[in-house]
Amino acid sequence: MKLYSLVGNEVFKIIMKKRLWVIVGILIILIGLFAYGEHYTRERTQSQIAERLGIDDVDDWREITNQQLLDLERRLDNPFIPEEGRASIQVRAEQLRYYLAEDINPTTFSAAQFMSNFMEQSIFLFLPLLIILLASDIVSKESTTGTIKLLMTRPVPRWKILTSKLLALTILEMIVILLMAVIALGISYITFGHGGFREPVITGFRVVNGELDASNIQTVSRGTYIFMTYSLGYIVAFSIGKMALMVSVLVKSTAASIGIMMSSLIGGTFLSFFISDWEITRYLFNVNLRLTDFLSGDLQPVEGLSLSFSIGVLLLWALAATLVAFGVFSYKDILD
Amino acid sequence: MLKSIKKAIWPITLVSVIIAVPFFIFGILQAFQVTQGAMQEEETANGENRIEERSEEIEEVNDGGHHILTLGDSLARGTGDEEGLGFAGRTVQKLDEFLDVPIIHDNYAVEGFRISEMLELLNNNEFQEELQHTDMIMISIGGNDVRSIRGLPASEWTEAYQNIEEGYQEALEETIRRIREANPGALVVFLGLYNLDYSDESPEETEFLLRWNAITYQMIEKEQDFVWIPTYDLFQFQLTESLSPDLLHPNGAGYEKIANRIIEVIMPFFTD
């Protein structure tokens, strides 16, 4: 049988098994809740600010923003401000100018902001959990239901079966990321009303000698930023998916497979907190999941990490897991 | 019908993934470019050019005109002023009306500055040169130093305050020494602190503030051509009218009051 139709068959099986629809359901419910919560918090903050300043109308934001912009521009005239400070003033001024030009109150939330925040918040735990849910039964279910014996009787080599499962998984990981983007966009657009995809976002932090270097910061549009975060999300999904596939080959029951993956995901995160000064922790996959933090400039729990290092570690884990999966699957005995 | 939908699942999935792949590649490449892009060198050169241009300009005006410098924190910068002038800008404006000579004003204040950071700026060699050509220096500093105890629990305030005060005294001595080393003749105007909590009941904080002002007053007035300008009383009974919406910085009216007082004190220095 051709690999193309084998992969198609695997994709079809996963979608028909309704696992993917469970994921869609979880996404809709959770994103809906997050969006509502965010909306509620923003409204409350705004009314609190208005109360504190003694103004009835939050429309005064223009005046305040103008004042802030004026302050920043005057600070730029000072030739004795260090270069690092100058860069951050420039990007902040650029943001304020955007808000004024587009007539957007900086304290309100946009759909685009929600989209990138959602990925930033889910990349290290929620997204891996979804992928585990998707991938953990990919081989073990065949063992549980006994269909694996039927598969083996076909004149298809074992490696081809696993390859088709692997490729199907790789495709569906991307589908999950796309679903996240579409659902987040749809729900947040309904909740927050405006897109805000051209808003400048501050990024470009670098880690130099274990410290955050802001001398090269710049702005990119929120749309580009979303592309970056969701692409990095795919790398995480890719890596976690391969590990889940390996576990699924190693154990027979789907429940055990999900359990092993979840406990290593959560346990590894705890471990990295307790022994964070031990150098080996930086090679744990858990520590390297927060890829988007390199964009937003949030500090890492373990020093010495960079975007390329973290991606490298994740891909190595994926490669090792794939090799183990193939090795075991090709030679294991299928009993009972 | 159902069968054709089922048949379509695989092609649809494949096509959407193939369409999405270039976007993902774009995103990853962008992420790499942003996090390890090349340093921008031109900015630094710009900064140096500005300093050079400025000192040339100052030298030109200096025969006959006046050069005024402002240093310190956000108050010196003028944060909160609707016109963006601050007490420094307003003082210069008034001075300009009275005197018939050109005046150059350079404001090097930075929001959030503490005295240690201002001292760093004073130690800068290029800045020392700038200081030499100056006739008057206006300084507002210390507010951020004394306010830093607010983040601590009230039981630790006394001890923390004493530590801050000690460091402040040393730094202030150093500041005075630095200014006089570079420029023995300039007039130095040093602004006192006002209380932000006239409305709140916080006698402890008020006590610290008064002590702070007293110490600064003593140290400043010891020196030749150094004046200390009290602001405490200016805000005492009309806090809301004189503060900007952030409830921390003065508004235009507040800065105007400070500038009026400064002008009254310094006029003789310029008209003699």
Side-chain angles (χ1 to χ4, degrees):
Chain A
M1 242 211 253
K2 274 200 189 135
L3 197 57
Y4 172 80
S5 46
L6 275 176
V7 175
N9 193 39
E10 288 297 336
V11 168
F12 181 76
K13 273 202 290 194
I14 295 173
I15 291 176
M16 279 299 121
K17 254 179 350 200
K18 301 191 183 74
R19 266 298 152 93
L20 198 64
W21 304 112
V22 173
I23 289 174
V24 171
I26 293 174
L27 277 174
I28 290 174
I29 292 169
L30 264 174
I31 290 175
L33 280 174
F34 287 159
Y36 174 75
E38 197 65 61
H39 185 65
Y40 180 74
T41 320
R42 289 281 162 156
E43 295 239 300
R44 257 184 52 150
T45 327
Q46 273 193 357
S47 63
Q48 273 171 353
I49 289 173
E51 207 175 302
R52 196 169 67 88
L53 297 184
I55 43 179
D56 310 320
D57 204 353
V58 219
D59 284 345
D60 285 358
W61 68 267
R62 276 198 87 87
E63 212 173 282
I64 295 168
T65 311
N66 243 325
Q67 178 71 43
Q68 286 172 336
L69 183 61
L70 217 91
D71 282 341
L72 289 178
E73 276 170 352
R74 276 184 298 120
R75 276 172 77 171
L76 276 177
D77 291 339
N78 185 345
F80 294 101
I81 286 185
E83 223 32 69
E84 194 173 315
R86 189 176 297 280
S88 80
I89 292 172
Q90 260 158 357
V91 292
R92 272 168 54 207
E94 197 182 322
Q95 279 188 315
L96 294 182
R97 267 184 229 117
Y98 163 83
Y99 293 131
L100 287 171
E102 299 281 313
D103 205 22
I104 293 170
N105 185 343
T107 56
T108 59
F109 211 55
S110 71
Q113 248 172 309
F114 180 85
M115 274 182 82
S116 55
N117 278 14
F118 180 65
M119 183 47 95
E120 281 170 356
Q121 295 307 317
S122 39
I123 195 165
F124 57 94
L125 195 64
F126 181 59
L127 172 65
L129 286 176
L130 290 184
I131 299 297
I132 290 169
L133 206 60
L134 180 79
S136 281
D137 68 341
I138 196 159
V139 179
S140 56
K141 186 154 194 197
E142 309 268 12
S143 306
T144 323
T145 53
T147 45
I148 193 149
K149 284 181 231 164
L150 290 175
L151 269 176
M152 294 302 166
T153 56
R154 298 270 160 163
V156 180
R158 283 190 185 188
W159 67 265
K160 231 179 185 177
I161 294 173
L162 197 60
T163 306
S164 65
K165 285 187 184 293
L166 189 85
L167 289 177
L169 187 60
T170 308
I171 288 168
L172 283 163
E173 281 155 3
M174 193 170 279
I175 296 289
V176 170
I177 301 282
L178 291 177
L179 283 173
M180 272 177 89
V182 170
I183 296 171
L185 176 66
I187 292 182
S188 61
Y189 207 90
I190 295 167
T191 321
F192 302 114
H194 72 282
F197 286 95
R198 284 188 296 129
E199 175 199 20
V201 187
I202 298 175
T203 181
F205 302 92
R206 292 185 305 166
V207 186
V208 177
N209 302 326
E211 274 183 45
L212 205 67
D213 172 34
S215 60
N216 200 34
I217 57 172
Q218 48 180 294
T219 58
V220 296
S221 72
R222 180 67 75 174
T224 314
Y225 193 77
I226 289 172
F227 277 126
M228 292 196 274
T229 48
Y230 279 74
S231 306
L232 294 178
Y234 180 66
I235 293 178
V236 167
F238 179 86
S239 174
I240 295 287
K242 302 305 165 287
M243 287 182 243
L245 177 84
M246 174 192 77
V247 175
S248 179
V249 170
L250 294 179
V251 300
K252 264 188 191 166
S253 106
T254 305
S257 170
I258 292 180
I260 289 169
M261 275 309 290
M262 290 227 299
S263 51
S264 53
L265 179 70
I266 296 165
T269 315
F270 279 136
L271 196 70
S272 68
F273 272 117
F274 287 126
I275 47 171
S276 60
D277 43 355
W278 199 22
E279 212 167 279
I280 207 160
T281 51
R282 72 176 67 161
Y283 298 102
L284 290 175
F285 71 89
N286 315 70
V287 180
N288 293 293
L289 292 178
R290 295 171 180 260
L291 294 179
T292 50
D293 285 3
F294 293 110
L295 299 180
S296 59
D298 296 325
L299 270 176
Q300 293 291 306
V302 176
E303 59 167 66
L305 298 184
S306 69
L307 182 66
S308 37
F309 176 85
S310 286
I311 290 179
V313 168
L314 288 179
L315 292 182
L316 272 181
W317 274 86
L319 181 71
T322 310
L323 290 178
V324 170
F326 271 96
V328 173
F329 191 75
S330 307
Y331 297 107
K332 81 167 173 183
D333 291 324
I334 290 155
L335 302 169
D336 25 53
Chain B
M1 176 65 193
L2 202 66
K3 216 174 176 185
S4 63
I5 292 175
K6 278 184 178 178
K7 255 188 180 170
I9 285 177
W10 166 231
I12 289 173
T13 316
L14 192 64
V15 167
S16 50
V17 165
I18 288 170
I19 292 171
V21 163
F23 289 103
F24 280 86
I25 293 172
F26 165 75
I28 290 169
L29 290 181
Q30 273 287 321
F32 269 107
Q33 207 212 335
V34 156
T35 48
Q36 26 231 175
M39 281 278 259
Q40 290 155 353
E41 296 291 344
E42 36 183 319
E43 288 285 325
T44 328
N46 271 345
E48 271 161 25
N49 278 345
R50 252 197 302 267
I51 296 173
E52 256 171 51
E53 269 171 38
R54 205 78 189 115
S55 46
E56 273 168 32
E57 218 177 312
I58 291 162
E59 264 167 53
E60 271 171 36
V61 176
N62 236 10
D63 332 306
H66 293 292
H67 180 229
I68 297 173
L69 262 185
T70 302
L71 294 177
D73 50 25
S74 51
L75 240 71
R77 171 50 60 194
T79 307
D81 190 341
E82 298 85 356
E83 289 169 49
L85 292 165
F87 76 84
R90 285 167 191 267
T91 306
V92 171
Q93 223 174 35
K94 289 177 198 300
L95 210 55
D96 206 29
E97 281 168 29
F98 286 120
L99 303 174
D100 205 19
V101 287
I103 295 178
I104 279 199
H105 175 220
D106 280 322
N107 194 332
Y108 294 143
V110 178
E111 277 102 337
F113 249 31
R114 298 186 182 188
I115 193 159
S116 55
E117 290 162 306
M118 190 178 79
L119 202 55
E120 235 170 77
L121 179 66
L122 284 170
N123 284 333
N124 183 327
N125 282 337
E126 278 157 9
F127 196 76
Q128 287 272 321
E129 257 172 61
E130 180 107 6
L131 268 180
Q132 287 171 12
H133 307 289
T134 295
D135 301 296
M136 175 166 95
I137 303 167
M138 288 187 274
I139 299 176
S140 158
I141 199 80
N144 295 311
D145 292 83
V146 73
R147 243 198 319 281
S148 63
I149 61 165
R150 282 194 170 184
L152 301 168
S155 57
E156 291 169 23
W157 276 11
T158 316
E159 206 190 324
Y161 173 78
Q162 264 156 4
N163 284 337
I164 294 170
E165 192 193 83
E166 258 170 53
Y168 171 73
Q169 271 177 302
E170 270 171 43
L172 187 58
E173 258 169 46
E174 178 73 10
T175 306
I176 295 169
R177 211 168 53 77
R178 281 274 154 202
I179 292 175
R180 274 302 170 241
E181 248 174 35
N183 189 331
L187 172 67
V188 179
V189 177
F190 201 102
L191 217 63
L193 301 184
Y194 58 87
N195 200 347
L196 292 169
D197 285 320
Y198 292 106
S199 49
D200 287 356
E201 291 293 323
S202 171
E204 216 176 356
E205 239 180 316
T206 308
E207 196 191 308
F208 290 150
L209 194 96
L210 292 176
R211 214 173 113 182
W212 189 275
N213 274 343
I215 286 165
T216 315
Y217 185 30
Q218 275 182 352
M219 290 177 68
I220 292 293
E221 293 290 339
K222 263 202 321 236
E223 306 292 324
Q224 177 90 42
D225 290 332
F226 270 66
V227 281
W228 183 79
I229 306 286
T231 56
Y232 187 87
D233 52 341
L234 285 178
F235 292 87
Q236 202 156 5
F237 298 118
Q238 23 189 325
L239 197 64
T240 39
E241 296 90 330
S242 310
L243 283 191
S244 65
D246 66 6
L247 297 183
L248 180 71
H249 300 101
N251 57 14
Y255 280 122
E256 185 72 18
K257 284 198 281 191
I258 301 176
N260 280 335
R261 183 167 277 183
I262 294 176
I263 279 291
E264 216 172 292
V265 176
I266 64 167
M267 261 332 263
F269 186 88
F270 283 95
T271 47
D272 277 357

